Amino acid sequence: MTTPDPVHPAWLPPEAFRAIGSRRTLVLGDGLLAGTVHDEVADACARYGGRVRRGAEDGPYDLVLALTTEPLPGVAGEVRPDSAIGAEGYLLARRDGVTVVLADDPAGLLYGLFHVVRLGERAFAGELQAERHRPAMRRRMLDHWDNVDVHPVMGQVERGYAGGSIFWRDGAPRGDLARVRAYGRLLAACGVNAISVNNVNVRATGARLLTDRLGDVAALADVLRPYGIRVHLSVSFASPVVLGGLPTADPLDEGVRKWWAGVTERVYDTIPDFGGYVVKADSEGEPGPFAYGRDHADGANLLAEALEPFGGVVHWRAFVYNHRQDWRDRSTDRARAAYDHFAPLDGRFRDNVILQVKHGPVDFQVREPVSPVIAAMPATRLAVELQVTQEYTGQQRHVCYLPPMWREVLGFRPWGPDGTAVADVAGGASGDGGGLVAVSNVGDDPYWTGHPLAQANLYAFGRLAWAPWTDPAAILDEWIDLTFTPTATGDTEALRHTLHAIMDGSWRTYERYTAPLGVGFMVRPGHHYGPDVDGYEYTPWGTYHFADRDGVGVDRTRATGTGFTGQYPPPWSEVYESLDRCPDELLLFFHHVPYGHVLHSGATVVQHIYDTHFAGVEEAIEARRRWEEAAALFDPSLHARVEELLDEQVRCAEEWRDQINAYFFRKSGVPDVRGRRIP
Ligand code: GCW
């Protein structure tokens, strides 16, 4: 055991519980999570002088949190609904000076409690007509790309920008279960209910978590359970060979099926509420069913069959593409790959398979269209995967508030304005869709996320998974109120203004000073930080922009390109195909155009590149100025950390601007119409 670093409370500082902690609360209901609700309130009361009772006793009470299965006293009985509230949901009402939270299950009570926390004093004022709240997604999950062993290149956390893992260190459990518990509590407060605890690139000790190291997983499950969080595990498809000593991992082999059944039974003996397996197969070198001439349905169904008796699920990732391409071959298109592999398999997956699809067709770039796979598999449960860790969006050195992008993805309607939205596909028609999954941005950094403002992305992911139609700016307000209340100076309005000014538009700012018009991947190979326009251009990874002296962009049309536009249903198959109708911000994702091509905005492509890169840097400088000016509003060490990071953001934005502008100026020979200096 090691002594934990002092850890920032993120969106659950003690003050967030002040309103509850000074009141009289009744908690009615049994079960582990009802116990958590009681204990949370009791801790707050110990601090702020209120009191809490569990089990019916005479009032009066200011707050009643009760299961509908209990005999409900007074106002709680009056607001009891005649129909089910539903799994994890709650009803919130206030009448005659009593605030009531009712739920059908203890998880609903816990989420209801955190709703009251968000409201603070507002929860105890006036009257409130009964409101029902239910999660839009049944599964709201974070994947940790945490290695158990330190990887020589990727380190302890693959694409982790917040220090080491909170779970693992150097091949062993980190041993700081208090930190894991605090994490679970933060996740419950924003609505997350599942995590996978190891990298999808499963190596050495990571693979053994399934067998002889299962106890390490059980220890995590034990501390996360009181917060309603189920633990999942990334497993290697080759496990029967590498762990079981079998000669094959062929999904149709009887011995292999038995092996998975046996191992899975042992997992459930140890962790009865285990969530299931996450699998990256036949992707970037990971083993999979292709080695045996089988397909992804065979592979996923093998594991699903083993998990089925216990109610577990397999998250099978659709991130499958050829990473050994030749840039001269223009017919192979990485964007097409997931659809080409998976769409033909629709209908073949067992019910407890969740196909986990990255939100864009390539790889978490700052701007991509929505993946066509999401609209192509009506008979398959789909989860949409987002990336909270900022691999391609500033690596938690840049401010980049991602919810505006996620909200666009979730609100996108693949079948046109009258059709279903992505959020509804993930939520599922009967509420049992695959849900929303994201790669976590957390590490053992004292602020959890490296950049303190990156905490907001984690918070907002959970809130959007619960309620995908929420306005990102409103989520930011929630996060600000919880995290920074009270402020160092008491000037909440000024603090709120500052953070909105810096964060609301930060994703678009980042887009402006990095890769233009949806073309993506102009990052330095390997670590993916900072600009290198041709860094990946001639590599096998298949992420090309095809810039030459005449133009730039990838022709993905059916008419003359890779045909990728044909993977969308109408109207998007037509909109993206058409040079005229394709939205500006995705133009270079779908079309190769001359530098003089005129955008809807009226600017030429090359002038747009210059303008946005100059503007993006100005915006980063302005963000830094706003932050400097607001020093008095924030805790000094948090302020200093962000200030340092903003210096780096401005430096890096200038580097992007100069490299991108110089590259396109030199390639095209077209000068900036405003005559600004381009190196
Ligand atoms: O974005 C890429 C990352 C890899 C990652 C992979 C994936 C875990 O660069 O580091 O591997 O995606 O999603 O599997």
Side-chain angles (χ1 to χ4, degrees):
M1 291 289 262
T2 50
T3 329
D5 296 325
V7 174
H8 188 260
W11 49 88
L12 290 180
E15 296 78 21
F17 288 80
R18 183 186 294 273
I20 292 174
S22 57
R23 294 210 158 63
R24 297 159 301 182
T25 298
L26 174 66
V27 178
L28 278 182
D30 291 327
L32 183 67
L33 272 63
T36 305
V37 170
H38 171 269
D39 296 350
E40 285 286 340
V41 178
D43 282 354
C45 290
R47 195 178 294 266
Y48 295 110
R51 68 170 168 77
V52 58
R53 297 281 181 268
R54 193 159 181 201
E57 248 188 64
D58 287 345
Y61 294 104
D62 307 301
L63 173 63
V64 176
L65 296 139
L67 288 180
T68 49
T69 47
E70 300 287 320
L72 298 176
V75 173
E78 290 166 28
V79 300
R80 178 205 284 276
D82 350 308
S83 59
I85 297 170
E88 300 182 302
Y90 56 90
L91 175 145
L92 176 69
R94 181 166 167 85
R95 190 186 282 189
D96 303 334
V98 185
T99 304
V100 178
V101 173
L102 298 181
D104 294 342
D105 58 23
L109 278 193
L110 184 65
Y111 295 125
L113 169 71
F114 284 119
H115 191 132
V116 176
V117 170
R118 286 196 292 279
L119 290 174
E121 279 303 325
R122 285 170 296 157
F124 300 99
E127 299 269 298
L128 177 68
Q129 286 295 322
E131 288 175 357
R132 283 164 180 251
H133 296 270
R134 281 191 67 176
M137 315 276 170
R138 176 171 161 202
R139 294 168 205 283
R140 309 173 298 279
M141 177 163 173
L142 285 165
D143 283 2
H144 280 259
W145 287 352
D146 297 21
N147 294 315
V148 180
D149 306 298
V150 177
H151 184 269
V153 178
M154 291 298 169
Q156 189 76 67
V157 181
E158 180 152 346
R159 312 306 180 188
Y161 311 105
S165 165
I166 59 171
F167 306 132
W168 318 109
R169 177 152 53 200
D170 274 336
R174 191 171 186 278
D176 184 359
L177 292 174
R179 181 87 191 236
V180 178
R181 183 178 182 280
Y183 183 51
R185 184 167 176 257
L186 288 171
L187 295 187
C190 64
V192 170
N193 66 0
I195 63 172
S196 76
V197 296
N198 61 322
N199 192 0
V200 291
N201 294 326
V202 184
R203 305 171 180 112
T205 315
R208 289 168 47 205
L209 294 178
L210 179 63
T211 51
D212 60 310
R213 299 290 290 268
L214 185 61
D216 299 342
V217 183
L220 299 176
D222 285 345
V223 295
L224 293 166
R225 187 171 296 116
Y227 287 99
I229 292 162
R230 283 193 182 205
V231 162
H232 297 236
L233 202 56
S234 294
V235 297
S236 165
F237 194 77
S239 296
V241 177
V242 296
L243 300 173
L246 265 53
T248 176
D250 182 349
L252 302 191
D253 181 274
E254 200 41 45
V256 170
R257 290 174 62 200
K258 283 214 181 91
W259 188 86
W260 278 108
V263 160
T264 305
E265 192 178 343
R266 278 198 296 284
V267 170
Y268 279 91
D269 281 348
T270 314
I271 311 171
D273 58 352
F274 179 71
Y277 300 140
V278 181
V279 189
K280 172 175 177 179
D282 289 316
S283 164
E284 300 186 329
E286 294 302 300
F290 288 171
Y292 309 98
R294 315 297 182 196
D295 63 28
H296 284 277
D298 299 325
N301 289 342
L302 165 75
L303 302 187
E305 187 188 10
L307 289 158
E308 202 271 335
F310 310 99
V313 292
V314 53
H315 284 87
W316 190 270
R317 296 179 80 232
F319 183 60
V320 177
Y321 68 100
N322 175 2
H323 68 289
R324 298 185 211 285
Q325 292 183 44
D326 185 323
W327 62 273
R328 281 159 290 230
D329 163 21
R330 293 215 176 184
S331 63
T332 307
D333 177 6
R334 177 166 165 179
R336 290 189 58 119
Y339 180 106
D340 285 342
H341 281 291
F342 287 94
L345 303 179
D346 189 34
R348 286 210 24 229
F349 292 99
R350 296 176 77 109
D351 285 350
N352 59 329
V353 173
I354 294 175
L355 188 67
Q356 186 168 316
V357 185
K358 288 193 185 189
H359 68 83
V362 180
D363 194 8
F364 298 135
Q365 299 305 290
V366 67
R367 176 77 71 169
E368 289 188 41
V370 162
S371 168
V373 177
I374 295 168
M377 304 192 62
T380 308
R381 273 215 265 171
L382 296 181
V384 175
E385 183 180 311
L386 308 173
Q387 198 182 38
V388 185
T389 194
Q390 291 171 237
E391 177 177 1
Y392 297 101
T393 50
Q395 304 202 347
Q396 279 134 261
R397 290 191 243 178
H398 298 218
V399 182
C400 190
Y401 182 57
L402 292 165
M405 164 163 71
W406 299 335
R407 180 64 184 67
E408 276 188 21
V409 169
L410 294 166
F412 180 77
R413 295 180 187 277
W415 296 272
D418 301 326
T420 310
V422 169
D424 303 321
V425 176
S430 52
D432 197 23
L436 210 57
V437 181
V439 186
S440 177
N441 64 348
V442 154
D444 67 2
D445 167 65
Y447 288 102
W448 295 94
T449 50
H451 201 305
L453 303 186
Q455 288 178 3
N457 283 330
L458 186 64
Y459 178 80
F461 164 73
R463 298 290 292 132
L464 281 174
W466 181 285
W469 301 103
T470 318
D471 174 11
I475 298 179
L476 191 61
D477 275 332
E478 278 181 11
W479 175 76
I480 293 170
D481 286 354
L482 289 167
T483 307
F484 296 103
T485 303
T487 65
T489 62
D491 193 349
T492 315
E493 269 317 296
L495 178 137
R496 211 186 258 268
H497 261 92
T498 301
L499 289 170
H500 277 286
I502 292 171
M503 296 173 75
D504 281 342
S506 54
W507 163 54
R508 288 197 168 76
T509 295
Y510 189 83
E511 179 183 29
R512 285 186 191 109
Y513 62 73
T514 58
L517 299 167
V519 77
F521 270 104
M522 291 181 170
V523 291
R524 296 211 174 95
H527 59 66
H528 299 167
Y529 187 72
D532 184 347
V533 182
D534 281 339
Y536 272 112
E537 196 56 11
Y538 306 99
T539 70
W541 296 92
T543 50
Y544 309 129
H545 54 68
F546 296 122
D548 58 20
R549 65 181 186 182
D550 301 316
V552 55
V554 191
D555 185 353
R556 293 191 159 111
T557 62
R558 305 191 282 291
T560 53
T562 68
F564 171 70
T565 58
Q567 294 186 341
Y568 290 88
W572 296 105
S573 53
E574 303 305 325
V575 171
Y576 293 146
E577 176 79 5
S578 155
L579 192 52
D580 285 343
R581 295 172 68 198
C582 182
D584 282 353
E585 69 272 12
L586 288 170
L587 185 74
L588 303 182
F589 195 94
F590 288 104
H591 297 273
H592 184 89
V593 296
Y595 292 115
H597 174 84
V598 179
L599 298 167
H600 297 119
S601 69
T604 62
V605 164
V606 73
Q607 190 59 42
H608 172 95
I609 293 174
Y610 301 149
D611 290 347
T612 49
H613 284 78
F614 283 113
V617 170
E618 289 310 311
E619 288 161 20
I621 291 171
E622 174 63 9
R624 181 174 63 182
R625 191 192 64 74
R626 294 290 303 239
W627 185 256
E628 281 166 359
E629 203 178 80
L633 302 175
F634 294 90
D635 162 73
S637 58
L638 182 141
H639 190 270
R641 160 92 69 118
V642 174
E643 187 163 277
E644 236 172 71
L645 289 163
L646 280 162
D647 283 343
E648 164 57 15
Q649 180 168 357
V650 169
R651 184 207 64 75
C652 187
E654 287 171 347
E655 190 186 2
W656 270 99
R657 175 197 62 199
D658 291 344
Q659 285 217 24
I660 300 288
N661 284 350
Y663 181 95
F664 287 102
F665 176 47
R666 293 172 192 177
K667 278 255 146 134
S668 70
V670 180
D672 172 31
V673 292
R674 294 186 180 77
R676 289 162 293 197
R677 189 183 165 274
I678 295 177

